[in-house]
Amino acid sequence: MAFLEVDNIATYYGNIQALKGVSLAVEEGECVTLIGSNGAGKSTTLRSISALTPPRTGTIKLAGEEIQNLPPQEIVGLGICQSPEGRKCFQRMTVRENLELGAYLRRDHTQIQTDLKRVFELFPRLDERQSQKAGTMSGGEQQMLAIGRAMMGSPKVLLLDEPSMGISPVLTERIYETIAEINKEGMTILLVEQNANFALDVSKRGYVLETGKVVMSDESTSLRTNPEVMKAYLGT
């Protein structure tokens, strides 16, 4: 039994079916990636797990317990925290306020301060800009803030949605170095990414989504050398 298990979920936006029986599994401490083109259903899969767009059918389990019928705040309370596509930082709030908001449901105040210190160690730029309004920072810095805010929820599973979107190659590399580092420390990560090169480098296993369905799954090293994946997603 996997730590996070998604089994045959179907998710809709109104009458439009976005996911058509998606199944995947993430072991504790593992980094798994979902790759695919725009509109394949990658972000919807994360939104379904987070209960932001709940599935109509199928099951989602965390540590063996079904969670697909819980509201989003309870999902966060269980330890599934998401850094969303487009970052969604609170633009008029400071860096520190955004991070503290990530810990809103927590009551372990001493550990919150320890986690805040760790976020600043991982992202020194956030430490330098604690009192700066989030909306005045670059896209890459806001991405660091979105990941840091998710980490402040004390996640058991960290969901990362398109962390390289719209940011410079230099900051993308820095962010992926950090993702690799926290995964090595034991963080369980489910990563959605259109930049398959970065995603397959940092993950252990991967799933390929096309039009709401999983069409392929394998070890990341095998996906990297798969001719179909190379042609469609790796630019080779």
Side-chain angles (χ1 to χ4, degrees):
M1 180 182 66
F3 188 56
L4 176 66
E5 220 170 349
V6 176
D7 184 26
N8 198 33
I9 62 170
T11 301
Y12 293 74
Y13 293 101
N15 292 323
I16 306 299
Q17 186 172 5
L19 300 183
K20 304 167 185 177
V22 168
S23 297
L24 60 88
V26 185
E27 302 291 344
E28 191 166 12
E30 195 176 32
C31 181
V32 172
T33 187
L34 304 180
I35 61 175
S37 58
N38 279 333
K42 306 185 303 297
S43 294
T44 301
T45 300
L46 295 194
R47 290 180 61 85
S48 296
I49 295 168
S50 296
L52 298 172
T53 311
R56 287 191 190 175
T57 60
T59 59
I60 301 171
K61 294 180 181 178
L62 179 67
E65 298 294 324
E66 290 192 16
I67 63 171
Q68 71 274 1
N69 295 318
L70 299 178
Q73 67 271 21
E74 291 189 27
I75 299 294
V76 174
L78 288 173
I80 297 179
C81 301
Q82 181 170 347
S83 172
E85 180 183 8
R87 302 175 280 275
K88 304 286 195 299
C89 297
F90 294 94
Q91 302 288 294
R92 297 183 181 182
M93 297 174 67
T94 66
V95 165
R96 189 179 184 98
E97 287 168 341
N98 268 272
L99 293 173
E100 289 174 344
L101 197 58
Y104 178 76
L105 294 176
R106 298 174 60 183
R107 297 294 178 264
D108 50 339
H109 299 292
T110 301
Q111 187 60 43
I112 287 172
Q113 295 307 309
T114 300
D115 291 347
L116 185 62
K117 182 179 178 181
R118 179 58 179 148
V119 168
F120 289 145
E121 288 172 352
L122 289 168
F123 299 115
R125 291 196 188 199
L126 300 184
D127 192 10
E128 296 165 4
R129 293 162 169 74
Q130 288 191 44
S131 59
Q132 186 172 338
K133 293 284 196 298
T136 65
M137 299 198 303
S138 72
E141 290 164 347
Q142 289 189 45
Q143 185 62 66
M144 294 176 183
L145 180 56
I147 294 173
R149 182 181 59 193
M151 291 179 64
M152 288 301 296
S154 189
K156 295 176 182 175
V157 180
L158 183 61
L159 307 180
L160 301 177
D161 195 350
E162 301 281 9
S164 74
M165 180 183 285
I167 63 177
S168 71
V170 172
L171 285 183
T172 296
E173 287 185 16
R174 177 70 191 99
I175 285 169
Y176 268 91
E177 287 170 2
T178 304
I179 292 170
E181 183 177 345
I182 61 178
N183 178 236
K184 286 177 183 176
E185 293 173 353
M187 179 69 71
T188 305
I189 298 172
L190 180 57
L191 166 68
V192 157
E193 182 58 88
Q194 197 168 353
N195 190 327
N197 283 296
F198 279 110
L200 294 173
D201 275 347
V202 78
S203 60
K204 181 181 179 183
R205 295 186 299 108
Y207 294 83
V208 179
L209 266 65
E210 290 182 6
T211 58
K213 298 178 181 179
V214 174
V215 295
M216 194 183 307
S217 64
D218 209 335
E219 298 289 315
S220 294
T221 51
S222 298
L223 288 173
R224 179 171 276 288
T225 57
N226 181 290
E228 292 182 32
V229 174
M230 291 171 68
K231 181 179 180 180
Y233 305 110
L234 300 178
T236 55

